[in-house]
Amino acid sequence: MLKRILSTLLLFSFLSSCAPTPPTVAPAQTATPAPEAESANWWNEAVFYEIFVRSFYDTDGDGIGDFNGITQKLDYLESLGVDALWLMPIHPSPSYHGYDVLNYYAVNPQYGSMDDFKNLLNEAHKRDIRIIIDLVINHTSSQHPWFKDANANLDSPYRDFYVWANEPGAGNWHQGQNGYYYGFFWGCMPDLNYTNPAVTDAVLNVTDFWLNEIGVDGFRIDAVKHLIEENGKLENTPATHTWLKDFYTAYKTQNPQAYTVGEVFGAGSSVVNLYTGDELDHIFNFEMSSGFVNSVNGGANSGVTSAFKFAFQDMPDFNYATFLTNHDQNRVMSVFNGNTGKAKAAATLLLTSPGTPFIYYGEEIGMTGKKPDEDIRVPMQWTNAEDAGFTTGNPWRAPNADFETVNVAVETEDPASLLNHYRTLIQLRKEHPALLKGDAVLIETGNSAVFALLRNSGDESILIVVNLGDEPITDYALSLEESLLPDGTITPSLLLGSEQAQPLEITNGQFSDYKPFDELLPYETYLLKIK
Ligand code: CA
């Protein structure tokens, strides 16, 4: 607590080029209760929705999205069917994105007050929607009072909160007032020193505050592979894994229902698998994400099939998070050059596969966006009114020009829209245990443009068939060499698709040359319940 008070007192004075916006500090209040957990690990049965608060919905006309805006749109989020929200950084920060924090105990005043945030949390929990927040702990802002004091005074109590050297070494070093400091991403983002137990204590005070005083449901941990550099190695070090094991024990003690999901960009499943289980609850499966997107974009099942084979090998319990694209990548609709058929097929892969799916705001309506980063984080398109119905003021950044046709209101009215495809798939995922938590078996399709997957859970089996290509397909045949399916002739019931499927013959748990339909339509999804 003393450190917290000190942090507050030290917050003001903006001198460097890493110019901050002024923070506010709100008093702690009582936590709102999270929804009752139906199973030990609620996150394994959730669909998440990633929100950039600045761009979601503005309620006070200042052109900046806010907590009250999310609260007002909870009905929409409930109708979409999502169970949990990931809010990108909500702390005071000098940057528009917030990935350089000034004060871990306050909220960005541009987004509202702590009371506004607590109201959002309370209203979300009433709807059984949980909220996790970005926890950016690899580094702070260079304007954070810890760093300002550490930089100015060699005898500062915060000097060892950061990584210092007399000469720049391996990696990204920056000249400070007294020596060089390490900042992997940027000079304005000095790395915290996790070999100092006081830093670990400080971070655990932060997690305790948000979990127990405020009541959030967990954290998305930014840049987790970079936490500790060791012997010249800059990422995925043994020291980082050791630290995370202690961190896991600590935050689960603070709240056993708290969830963490880590960003480990660029590593294969054999590396990221090391982070799950006793370090973080989940990591994002970037390999699976590329598999989904590349398979749909190339009209060939090899990408997603390969990602599944790595998952079967390295993460067979599917304890990972999936997504199409996130706030750091070109939006999937832009990758697909605006092709709605492709966007639907990709949504199918995401929402019928194992793993906990994350949807990036606007993805469900087909919002486009290519880098620079600001352009993949533009205002949500709600209506065809001025500025896409995002604000009554001047938006912090202009919405996409296509908002008159691509928006929530228009797509809600169109049964064939991408938005309603997302709603249907999320609903099916909730209603069918095989889709929600079943195992997964790849099905041979005899055609590289056809992807098929069998999901099994208890007494339910669902066959997913997707035409990844832009042409109708008649030349395909599904086969499976081994399964626990009962022998006999099955008449599948169609959960998604437009015509009755042919009966399926199963002998010794096998089937071959099965064509549920004579023709698979371009980008079409077929879901068949076969048990
Ligand atoms: Ca606002």
Side-chain angles (χ1 to χ4, degrees), residues 58 60 62 64 66:
D58 172 30
D60 61 3
D62 67 354
I64 294 174
D66 39 53

Side-chain angles (χ1 to χ4, degrees), residues 54 57-67 69 109-112 390-391:
R54 185 174 300 275
Y57 187 59
D58 172 30
T59 55
D60 61 3
D62 67 354
I64 294 174
D66 39 53
F67 299 130
Q110 296 177 325
Y111 294 171
F390 162 72
T391 179

